[in-house]
Amino acid sequence: MNKKELLELKETINQLLKLGEEETSTKINKILKITKYSVILTSLIGIITCIICDISMNQKISWSLIVMISTLFANALIIPILTQKPKRINKIKYILSITIIPYLLLLSIILENKLVFTLGSSISIISLAIIWIIHYIGKKYLKTRKYLFMGITFILLTILKILIHLLTCIFIENIEQNNIVNNIETIGIIAISIICFIKDFYNKK
């Protein structure tokens, strides 16, 4: 084959590959759309069923409110995943950051339990801060130095675990503690992070 024929063949192969990718993308989009509408439909059926049961048993809307706001909150996080749009994970983090505190406040009011909001929001704020820190570290190091990223992530998760434990002890008096199990878990996570740092050091070297 001469140069012209080779170029024509290359162009034909590229076009076929492009068509294959478009076909695959269309099929994935269809599956995601069906799944998305199925999630919305089953959620609505679940909410309506709970409201009917609640009214028939209590002659008013009470516990079904918890189901309603929890389902809507879950859908707000799940539905963005069911798209092929870029930066959908970022969108989920933004939605979670904005909605988690109002969600916990509503739950606290419905359940008439302040602890749901005070303890829940404290843990949520710290957890979200850690998630965002991991996200930014991941953007910088995940592709180039994955073991360093993993090591830092494990350290941050250890800090999160300790902070959640301390907050729980502050907000809930006389809570039963299993310090041996907690210490073993913490040592285990730190050991994994050290292994990751050593691996990163040797890879860089």
Side-chain angles (χ1 to χ4, degrees):
M1 293 176 74
N2 59 39
K3 191 177 178 182
K4 188 184 175 184
E5 287 171 332
L6 283 168
L7 287 169
E8 284 173 359
L9 179 63
K10 187 183 176 184
E11 186 63 32
T12 306
I13 290 166
N14 285 336
Q15 284 175 1
L16 287 168
L17 287 169
K18 195 177 178 183
L19 281 168
E21 282 173 9
E22 284 172 2
E23 252 183 65
T24 305
S25 183
T26 306
K27 282 178 184 177
I28 290 167
N29 267 327
K30 279 181 183 177
I31 293 163
L32 289 172
K33 270 186 183 179
I34 292 163
T35 309
K36 185 167 71 176
Y37 292 129
S38 299
V39 167
I40 293 166
L41 183 63
T42 50
S43 297
L44 286 171
I45 292 166
I47 289 167
I48 292 162
T49 305
C50 288
I51 289 168
I52 292 165
C53 292
D54 195 11
I55 292 168
S56 62
M57 288 189 292
N58 303 307
Q59 283 72 54
K60 62 176 183 178
I61 292 174
S62 55
W63 56 265
S64 59
L65 274 173
I66 298 167
V67 177
M68 194 189 303
I69 64 166
S70 297
T71 306
L72 293 172
F73 177 68
N75 276 331
L77 298 175
I78 293 165
I79 288 167
I81 298 170
L82 302 173
T83 63
Q84 280 192 291
K85 290 179 183 177
K87 296 184 178 178
R88 61 185 184 274
I89 302 301
N90 281 351
K91 196 180 282 185
I92 293 160
K93 288 201 290 286
Y94 286 122
I95 292 165
L96 185 62
S97 301
I98 294 163
T99 57
I100 187 69
I101 303 299
Y103 167 69
L104 290 168
L105 180 62
L106 282 170
L107 270 188
S108 180
I109 292 164
I110 294 164
L111 295 167
E112 296 177 354
N113 187 338
K114 287 182 182 178
L115 192 65
V116 172
F117 180 69
T118 53
L119 178 58
S121 58
S122 302
I123 290 170
S124 298
I125 290 163
I126 293 166
S127 301
L128 285 167
I130 298 288
I131 287 167
W132 280 104
I133 292 165
I134 289 169
H135 167 73
Y136 283 112
I137 293 168
K139 280 174 80 174
K140 193 172 182 181
Y141 292 115
L142 184 59
K143 288 181 181 178
T144 54
R145 298 176 68 183
K146 63 180 179 182
Y147 286 105
L148 177 65
F149 168 70
M150 286 165 67
I152 294 168
T153 301
F154 282 124
I155 291 289
L156 287 169
L157 292 175
T158 306
I159 293 165
L160 177 62
K161 183 179 177 297
I162 292 163
L163 289 172
I164 288 171
H165 179 70
L166 288 171
L167 282 168
T168 309
C169 292
I170 291 164
F171 282 99
I172 304 170
E173 293 177 6
N174 304 319
I175 187 168
E176 287 185 14
Q177 297 179 35
N178 194 334
N179 290 323
I180 296 167
V181 174
N182 281 327
N183 291 336
I184 290 167
E185 284 176 358
T186 305
I187 291 163
I189 296 167
I190 291 167
I192 293 166
S193 63
I194 290 165
I195 291 164
C196 290
F197 288 134
I198 292 165
K199 182 74 176 168
D200 173 71
F201 174 76
Y202 279 106
N203 281 358
K204 196 180 174 187
K205 198 174 177 181

